[in-house]
Amino acid sequence: SSAALRPSLDGPTWTRTHKAPEASARTMDGCGGDGRRPRAVFMAFGTHGDVFPIAALAAAFANDQQQYTVVFITHSAHQSLSTHLAVSKVRYMPVASPPALASEQLDNISYDSVQSNAGPESFSRRKEIIQTEHRKACLASVEEVFGNDPSIHSDFIVINFFALEGCHLAELFQVKCIIAAPYFLPYSAPSSFERQFKQSFPLLYKSAGLTLPIGCGRFSWKVGDCGEMIA
């Protein structure tokens, strides 16, 4: 069996290498006080169907808003996107985690922390190790983009639903976070969705005030009070 590397909003506290700038140092207009270009980070994880639509959004945004520095963070398995993104002057930033993880794939994962563990480990434990390394790689990538510069009003991070790390990172770097789900969903949520979501993400479930009217109309994935859910 295989499973997507789903991030957890109930995970460890995120900290940045450099000290975050004071709120009073932030510039609220479209560019920095030093004339720095605003930055847009698009972050998407998952398989082709999860990642490619966000990559298309990043390329279209970069073509339309050329005053921005645009980067796209995704799995290194999607390296083929780099050429297409480069045409639109979008910087491709890969992370080593796989789009999906099956138990038989673990021996091929190159993370040192996984390889260094001698002896048998459960699939869930080794998956947890890979997720930890994945979060570190995401932090390093976003920190490379924003560095220690004060954020400006036009900076933002766009994520898909497999890149919920971006919510933490946006808060950490004091920029806006936008969740994008450019998919057509002509079906209702599975009957087990609410129970599994509540179990996996209890804090997000509580803040979203989630209700799922299963079978009520063609689209029955409701958006919670905080806008976290698929509509």
Side-chain angles (χ1 to χ4, degrees):
S1 63
S2 62
L5 286 173
R6 297 183 302 171
S8 172
L9 287 180
D10 305 313
T13 302
W14 295 69
T15 57
R16 56 192 291 183
T17 302
H18 303 291
K19 181 181 178 182
E22 298 295 331
S24 59
R26 300 178 63 201
T27 305
M28 298 305 293
D29 56 11
C31 61
D34 57 356
R36 176 179 64 77
R37 298 173 65 188
R39 294 158 291 191
V41 174
F42 289 77
M43 179 184 293
F45 300 119
T47 57
H48 288 178
D50 303 304
V51 172
F52 281 33
I54 307 299
L57 286 178
F61 179 84
N63 287 329
D64 185 64
Q65 301 292 324
Q66 296 185 16
Q67 73 274 22
Y68 270 84
T69 296
V70 182
V71 303
F72 186 74
I73 301 172
T74 190
H75 306 288
S76 56
H78 301 312
Q79 177 73 34
S80 61
L81 285 171
S82 61
T83 302
H84 302 287
L85 292 169
V87 172
S88 300
K89 299 182 179 180
V90 177
R91 180 185 177 189
Y92 167 76
M93 300 183 72
V95 297
S97 60
L101 188 63
S103 56
E104 60 269 17
Q105 292 177 295
L106 286 171
D107 292 337
N108 298 323
I109 302 300
S110 60
Y111 285 127
D112 292 339
S113 59
V114 176
Q115 295 290 344
S116 63
N117 281 283
E121 287 186 288
S122 68
F123 172 69
S124 60
R125 172 55 184 155
R126 298 184 75 183
K127 177 183 172 183
E128 181 181 342
I129 293 171
I130 294 168
Q131 287 177 321
T132 299
E133 298 295 337
H134 170 81
R135 294 188 185 106
K136 290 179 180 178
C138 291
L139 174 59
S141 295
V142 174
E143 190 164 39
E144 183 177 341
V145 174
F146 291 109
N148 201 33
D149 295 331
S151 60
I152 61 176
H153 182 67
S154 299
D155 291 340
F156 64 87
I157 297 176
V158 175
I159 65 173
N160 71 351
F161 279 96
F162 288 110
L164 294 179
E165 302 93 342
C167 290
H168 293 292
L169 293 168
E171 182 178 13
L172 185 64
F173 289 89
Q174 302 176 27
V175 299
K176 294 184 290 292
C177 181
I178 302 166
I179 302 179
Y183 315 108
F184 179 65
L185 298 175
Y187 51 84
S188 60
S191 59
S192 62
F193 176 79
E194 183 171 3
R195 174 180 56 80
Q196 293 178 353
F197 186 93
K198 183 178 181 180
Q199 181 179 357
S200 299
F201 307 108
L203 296 182
L204 182 57
Y205 178 90
K206 182 178 180 180
S207 67
L210 177 65
T211 57
L212 292 173
I214 303 300
C216 298
R218 190 174 185 184
F219 295 95
S220 57
W221 301 60
K222 288 195 69 175
V223 178
D225 294 339
C226 297
E228 292 87 348
M229 299 308 302
I230 300 174

